[in-house]
Amino acid sequence: MNLSEGPVNSKKKLPNISLLLAVFAACVGGTFQYGYNISVINAPTMYVQSFINRTWMERYQTNISQEGLTLLWSTIVSMFTLGGLIGASLGGTLSVKLGRRGTLLTNNAFSLMAALLMGISSTAGSFELLIIGRLLSGINAGIALCVQPLYLGEIAPTALRGATGMGTSVFITGGILTGQVMGLKEILGKEEYWPILLSTTCIPAFMQLLILPWFPESPRFLLIDKGDEDGCKKALRQLHGLADSDGALEDIEKERNNLVGFQAKKPWELFGDRSLRWQLLTIILLNTAQQLNGINAIYFYADYVFRQSGIPIDKIPYATVGTGACECLTALTCGMLIECLGRKVLIMGGYILMSICSVFFTLTLTFQDVSPVFPYLSMACVFAFILSFGLGPGGVTNILTTELFTQTARPAAFIIAGSVNWLSFFFISLVFPFIVIGLQQYCFLVFLGVCTSVATYIFFFIPETKNKTFVEIQNEFQSSKKNKFSSSDGAGTILLSTSI
C-alpha cells in the first residue's frame, strides 16, 4: 500500500531542516518555559522571602510571622500549578479556534506579562505581583504542554513522529537545566539580581515570536479542520520537502475521509464514547503516573543525599545542575532511540528500571549510617532514577497522548491529559510532605507499587505505535481490546468515529 511505503522511505532520510527549525521554534517558547519556570524559582527562595518580610515591615511596621511567610511563599510557588491547570483546560479549545501555531504565538502574551510583573515586583514593593506573575507563567506552561505536543505530532512525518515529539521532553529538561544554571551565584543568583532572574522568562517568548511565524500551521489542522487543501500542500512541502509531501498528504486525506461528518467533541463527550474508553484510560493512567512515580521525591531527597556524601553545602547547587544535565542528556538519548526501539519498550523499560531503583534507594537510605559507602550508593540511585525517568516516562507519555487519538479527538484528549497531569502534580505537592513524615525513606515502596503497576498495564494493554499512521494505531488499539475482552459492542467497527 502506498501509504505505508511513504513512512518507510522517509525513515531513511534525515529530517528536513525546516522541520527541525519549526520544532525548535515551537519548543523554545513552549515546554522550555515550563521547565525553566519550575527550576528558576528555587535559587532566589531566601531572597524572595526576605523581600516579603521587608515589604510586610514597611506596610505594617511589624515582622511577618513564620507561618505567614511560609503561606505566602507556598502561594507564590503553588500559583504555577493552579495556572497550569487553567492553561491545560484552555489549550485544547484554543488550538481548535486559533490553530496550533496561532495558539502557541498567542500564549506568549501570558509569559511576557508574567515577566513584566515579576520584574517590577521588587521596585513596586508588591509581592502580590509575584503571585499574579507565577499564575500567568503557569497558564503559559499549561497551554504549551497541551498544544505544543499536538503541533509537533501533526507536523512530523510518520517515521519521525516519535523523535520529533521528543522535542517536548528535551526542551522541558533543557529548561530545567537552564533555570538551574541561571540561578548560580556566578550568573543571576545574587540577591540584587532575583527580579531580573525571574523576568528572564521573557527571552524564550521573544525568540518564539521572532521565529515561529516563519513556519506553517499544522498541515493536518489546515486540511481536516479548515478544509484548506492548498495551505496544507504548501505546509507539507516546507516541512517535509517536495519528495515526501505527496505521501504525507495521502495519509492526511485518508484520515480526513474517515472523519467526514464528525466534529470536535468536548472533553466530557470523550468519556461517553465507548470506542475511546481504553485510549482514555491509558492517557489518564500514564499522566497520573508521570507525577506519582517518585521523580519529585528523588529531587526532594537529592540535597540530603548530596550532604550525606560529603559535598559542601555551597557546592550542592552545582551537584543539582548535574541532575538537570543528567535528565537533559537522557531525553536526548531517548529521542535518538525512540524510532529504533519503539515507544512501548522505552516507557515500559523506564518504569521497570525505576521500580528497581526504588528498591535500592530504600535500602541505601535505610543503611545510610552503616557504612561510608552507602551515601555514594544513594547518590548513584538518584542519578539512575533520573536516567530511567528521562529514558521512558518523561519523554514518551506526551507522544502516546498524540498517537492514540485521531485529529478530531486529539485536542480534547490533551485537555484531559493535561488536567490530570496538573492535578496529580498538585496532589503530590500537597501530600508528599506527609508521606515523607509518615514513611520516611520507605515512601519509595509506594512509588515502587506505582511503577510496577504501570509497567504491567503497558505490557498487557498498550500496542506499539512506531512507524504507524494514526489510522493504523487506532485500528490496532481497537482490535486488540476487542480480542482481549471479547467486546461485542461494535466499538471497533467504526474506528474513526473516535472523534472529539
Side-chain angles (χ1 to χ4, degrees):
M1 184 167 97
N2 292 335
L3 185 61
S4 60
E5 290 172 6
V8 174
N9 293 335
S10 64
K11 186 180 178 183
K12 299 176 183 177
K13 301 179 181 180
L14 292 174
N16 190 301
I17 186 66
S18 182
L19 176 65
L20 293 177
L21 291 174
V23 170
F24 173 82
C27 294
V28 74
T31 50
F32 180 89
Q33 292 270 39
Y34 168 74
Y36 188 79
N37 282 296
I38 280 179
S39 65
V40 79
I41 195 68
N42 294 323
T45 297
M46 299 303 298
Y47 306 143
V48 174
Q49 290 181 349
S50 175
F51 161 69
I52 294 173
N53 200 19
R54 187 169 62 251
T55 303
W56 194 273
M57 172 65 78
E58 291 173 356
R59 290 183 185 179
Y60 307 109
Q61 288 73 52
T62 182
N63 286 320
I64 189 173
S65 66
Q66 187 59 45
E67 292 79 10
L69 179 61
T70 302
L71 176 61
L72 280 175
W73 173 247
S74 299
T75 301
I76 290 171
V77 174
S78 61
M79 277 295 108
F80 184 75
T81 308
L82 177 60
L85 182 59
I86 295 172
S89 65
L90 294 174
T93 303
L94 289 175
S95 72
V96 173
K97 293 187 176 181
L98 303 179
R100 285 43 162 162
R101 187 190 66 161
T103 301
L104 289 173
L105 290 171
T106 304
N107 190 32
N108 288 296
F110 294 107
S111 179
L112 295 174
M113 184 60 68
L116 175 64
L117 295 179
M118 292 189 289
I120 66 173
S121 59
S122 179
T123 304
S126 173
F127 51 77
E128 291 87 354
L129 294 181
L130 286 175
I131 296 174
I132 299 172
R134 287 289 290 176
L135 177 67
L136 293 174
S137 293
I139 294 174
N140 170 268
I143 293 175
L145 272 174
C146 179
V147 180
Q148 182 197 298
L150 200 58
Y151 181 69
L152 298 186
E154 292 179 3
I155 67 173
T158 299
L160 293 172
R161 195 171 57 229
T164 303
M166 279 303 301
T168 297
S169 177
V170 169
F171 276 82
I172 287 176
T173 56
I176 292 173
L177 177 60
T178 304
Q180 292 169 340
V181 172
M182 295 292 284
L184 295 175
K185 289 186 180 296
E186 291 82 355
I187 305 181
L188 291 176
K190 295 182 179 179
E191 183 169 8
E192 61 267 29
Y193 295 145
W194 71 260
I196 300 174
L197 176 63
L198 295 183
S199 66
T200 51
T201 185
C202 69
I203 297 174
F206 280 125
M207 290 179 66
Q208 185 175 74
L209 286 171
L210 288 172
I211 304 173
L212 189 57
W214 295 96
F215 297 96
E217 179 57 83
S218 157
R220 273 185 158 76
F221 175 79
L222 290 172
L223 184 60
I224 299 176
D225 293 75
K226 293 297 182 182
D228 184 0
E229 187 168 347
D230 290 337
C232 175
K233 290 178 179 178
K234 184 178 178 181
L236 286 173
R237 284 194 294 268
Q238 181 178 354
L239 293 169
H240 297 185
L242 189 61
D244 297 322
S245 60
D246 289 341
L249 180 62
E250 184 181 347
D251 176 19
I252 299 173
E253 286 178 337
K254 180 176 181 179
E255 186 174 352
R256 180 183 64 173
N257 293 337
N258 279 276
L259 293 171
V260 170
F262 294 99
Q263 295 183 347
K265 293 181 182 178
K266 305 303 180 186
W268 53 87
E269 293 180 301
L270 261 64
F271 288 99
D273 190 338
R274 292 177 63 84
S275 65
L276 285 177
R277 55 188 173 183
W278 284 103
Q279 292 94 315
L280 211 51
L281 174 62
T282 297
I283 65 163
I284 290 173
L285 179 67
L286 293 182
N287 279 274
T288 302
Q290 194 174 31
Q291 295 296 340
L292 305 185
N293 57 28
I295 188 65
N296 298 301
I298 283 289
Y299 280 113
F300 177 85
Y301 269 101
D303 280 5
Y304 167 75
V305 170
F306 292 149
R307 287 195 303 270
Q308 289 293 102
S309 301
I311 298 177
I313 293 178
D314 62 329
K315 302 298 182 185
I316 286 179
Y318 301 95
T320 303
V321 169
T323 63
C326 173
E327 192 171 357
C328 189
L329 180 64
T330 313
L332 287 168
T333 304
C334 183
M336 291 185 286
L337 293 176
I338 192 166
E339 296 299 354
C340 174
L341 298 180
R343 287 66 154 153
K344 185 170 183 175
V345 170
L346 283 176
I347 192 169
M348 184 173 65
Y351 275 114
I352 291 172
L353 290 174
M354 290 165 71
S355 301
I356 296 170
C357 290
S358 296
V359 174
F360 281 106
F361 198 45
T362 302
L363 292 174
T364 57
L365 287 176
T366 301
F367 298 108
Q368 196 80 182
D369 300 323
V370 172
S371 167
V373 75
F374 279 103
Y376 296 99
L377 292 176
S378 295
M379 188 187 300
C381 286
V382 167
F383 283 96
F385 198 100
I386 293 171
L387 285 167
S388 303
F389 175 78
L391 191 63
V396 182
T397 302
N398 277 324
I399 295 174
L400 286 177
T401 305
T402 302
E403 293 183 331
L404 296 185
F405 295 87
T406 51
Q407 182 73 13
T408 50
R410 209 170 288 126
F414 267 99
I415 292 177
I416 295 170
S419 300
V420 168
N421 202 301
W422 285 100
L423 284 171
S424 301
F425 189 8
F426 176 76
F427 174 78
I428 196 65
S429 301
L430 188 67
V431 305
F432 178 68
F434 299 100
I435 295 176
V436 172
I437 292 171
L439 299 177
Q440 297 181 357
Q441 72 271 21
Y442 298 106
C443 67
F444 282 93
L445 297 179
V446 176
F447 303 127
L448 168 64
V450 172
C451 292
T452 53
S453 299
V454 175
T456 303
Y457 178 87
I458 293 169
F459 179 77
F460 284 108
F461 301 120
I462 299 182
E464 179 55 69
T465 60
K466 181 182 71 170
N467 285 336
K468 295 174 183 174
T469 66
F470 293 124
V471 175
E472 291 168 341
I473 292 168
Q474 288 283 0
N475 280 328
E476 183 171 347
F477 209 104
Q478 294 281 6
S479 62
S480 65
K481 295 303 162 291
K482 188 175 181 180
N483 291 337
K484 283 185 192 317
F485 297 96
S486 301
S487 173
S488 59
D489 59 11
T493 57
I494 308 178
L495 178 61
L496 292 180
S497 64
T498 62
S499 46
I500 337 193

